[in-house]
């Protein structure tokens, strides 16, 4: 079972276009043992000429640590990470924290 929890959202303007980004903590039950894995969902919504475009990406099973993934989400929010660049940045963040 999967649950998504909205952590925060932001609206940015780029090239006279309004972009809304929403950041979610994804919680998935690993198995019957009751262990959870956590990931990130980022949703992007733009409006142009009355037309709405929505894009989203999910980074599943990043860590067993809810706090670790929440910290990553807050960093992504601060830097307005989009669904398009999310996967690469997750890899980079995890690699940096493992090597420290």
């Amino acid at each position: 079972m999967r649950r998504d929890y909205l952590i925060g959202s932001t609206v940015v303007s780029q090239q006279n276009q309004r972009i809304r980004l929403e950041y979610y903590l994804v919680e998935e039950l690993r198995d019957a043992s009751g262990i959870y894995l956590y990931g990130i969902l980022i949703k992007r919504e733009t409006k142009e000429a009355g037309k709405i475009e929505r894009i989203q990406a999910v980074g599943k099973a990043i860590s067993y640590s809810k706090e670790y993934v929440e910290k990553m989400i807050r960093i992504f929010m601060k830097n307005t990470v989009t669904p398009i660049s999310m996967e690469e940045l997750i890899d980079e963040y995890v690699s940096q924290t493992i090597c420290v």
Side-chain angles (χ1 to χ4, degrees):
M1 181 171 84
R2 176 179 139 176
R3 287 184 241 160
D4 301 337
Y5 300 97
L6 179 64
I7 301 298
S9 63
T10 188
V11 176
V12 294
S13 294
Q14 185 178 24
Q15 300 173 355
N16 296 327
Q17 188 177 39
R18 184 180 156 271
I19 302 170
R20 178 177 174 82
L21 296 165
E22 294 180 339
Y23 299 87
Y24 294 82
L25 175 71
V26 175
E27 179 183 77
E28 292 187 83
L29 187 59
R30 175 73 174 165
D31 55 32
S33 65
I35 296 173
Y36 288 93
L37 281 167
Y38 297 93
I40 298 173
L41 165 65
I42 300 178
K43 295 181 179 181
R44 177 181 179 254
E45 179 181 286
T46 57
K47 293 181 182 178
E48 190 173 335
K51 185 177 180 183
I52 298 174
E53 179 184 340
R54 293 183 178 97
I55 300 171
Q56 68 179 32
V58 180
K60 293 184 178 183
I62 297 169
S63 176
Y64 289 105
S65 170
K66 181 178 180 179
E67 293 78 20
Y68 177 81
V69 177
E70 285 178 332
K71 181 179 178 183
M72 189 184 312
I73 292 169
R74 297 203 188 286
I75 291 168
F76 284 9
M77 286 173 50
K78 181 180 176 184
N79 292 286
T80 58
V81 172
T82 66
I84 296 167
S85 60
M86 181 187 73
E87 189 174 321
E88 182 179 340
L89 292 171
I90 288 171
D91 288 343
E92 187 175 320
Y93 183 85
V94 171
S95 295
Q96 286 179 357
T97 56
I98 289 175
C99 296
V100 175

